[in-house]
Amino acid sequence: MKKRQNVTIKGTKEGLVLHLDDTCSYEELKKELDQKLSANSRTQEERNLFSVKVHVGNRYLTEEQREELKSLIRQKKNLVVDDIESDVMTKEEAKRQKAENEVMTVSSIVRSGQVLRAPGDLLLIGDVNPGGSVVAGGNIFIMGSLKGLAHAGCYGNEEAVIAASNMKPTQLKISDSINRAPDTIQKNEKREMECAYIDEDRQIIVDRLQVLIHLRPNLNRFEGGH
């Protein structure tokens, strides 16, 4: 009877992909991984560095186990760990991901000195006064006047947008891009609602809201109302 393989190694153009069985014990997995990588590194001894991606399926790895696997792989002189992917997550990770994908709705006025934060998208029904700030991990939608600071995509999401019924900010930020000068905002025409986004040159552009339909088609929740 052929012994079941707990570790499968596949070569790609980018490097190696390791598929690790999620039903065997961790110790069995680690032992077989070490054996197979040792054999593989001997055959690849004269070659360049190989990027390694690891898939562990429905196995939850502690941070200590992740570091242990990374260390084991790095000991082979021509292997560099790129990523370890698991299909499971902790309750804390699940809660954080859920929060980041939800729209937080607030009906309020953000006054000078106040900061309103949201882990995901923010829908503010009210104004942001001068000196007030709204910060979100996702998009910011303001059903009122934006006269203070708005920072969307604060964790690095460059696809995030800012929309307001009355766009007169003291500062706009999307990810790490900043628009400090209100006079760069087009004021030659009255619009009911405007939006801000990062263009291909990594500049923050303020335009009419309708452009988002084409620029950010993934905003289904926001587009569904028309």
Side-chain angles (χ1 to χ4, degrees), residues 7 18 20 26-27 29-31 33-34 37 52 54-56 59 61-76 81 84:
V7 177
L18 309 184
L20 310 186
Y26 174 72
E27 290 303 321
L29 186 70
K30 196 170 62 167
K31 182 179 178 181
L33 179 62
D34 184 47
L37 287 181
V52 178
V54 184
H55 298 272
V56 297
R59 180 190 295 273
L61 294 175
T62 65
E63 195 58 38
E64 183 179 338
Q65 288 173 331
R66 282 176 173 268
E67 289 305 316
E68 193 173 25
L69 289 181
K70 286 180 180 179
S71 176
L72 189 154
I73 294 169
R74 287 168 182 154
Q75 287 173 11
K76 316 306 173 187
V81 181
I84 295 180

Side-chain angles (χ1 to χ4, degrees), residues 125-151:
I125 303 172
D127 300 331
V128 181
N129 287 348
S133 301
V134 286
V135 181
N139 307 296
I140 295 175
F141 307 120
I142 300 172
M143 308 300 291
S145 296
L146 171 57
K147 298 179 181 178
L149 179 148
H151 185 184

Side-chain angles (χ1 to χ4, degrees), residues 47-126:
R47 296 196 174 188
N48 295 328
L49 290 176
F50 276 76
S51 171
V52 178
K53 289 188 177 181
V54 184
H55 298 272
V56 297
N58 293 321
R59 180 190 295 273
Y60 174 72
L61 294 175
T62 65
E63 195 58 38
E64 183 179 338
Q65 288 173 331
R66 282 176 173 268
E67 289 305 316
E68 193 173 25
L69 289 181
K70 286 180 180 179
S71 176
L72 189 154
I73 294 169
R74 287 168 182 154
Q75 287 173 11
K76 316 306 173 187
K77 55 182 157 184
N78 62 330
L79 301 180
V80 178
V81 181
D82 183 34
D83 190 24
I84 295 180
E85 295 181 359
S86 173
D87 295 333
V88 296
M89 62 179 69
T90 63
K91 288 183 178 179
E92 290 74 19
E93 289 169 335
K95 286 178 181 177
R96 186 180 67 247
Q97 190 176 89
K98 183 173 183 288
E100 289 176 356
N101 289 323
E102 285 185 340
V103 179
M104 188 173 91
T105 303
V106 179
S107 179
S108 180
I109 295 176
V110 181
R111 305 184 189 281
S112 179
Q114 294 180 328
V115 180
L116 177 61
R117 297 180 183 274
D121 291 356
L122 171 64
L123 171 60
L124 174 66
I125 303 172

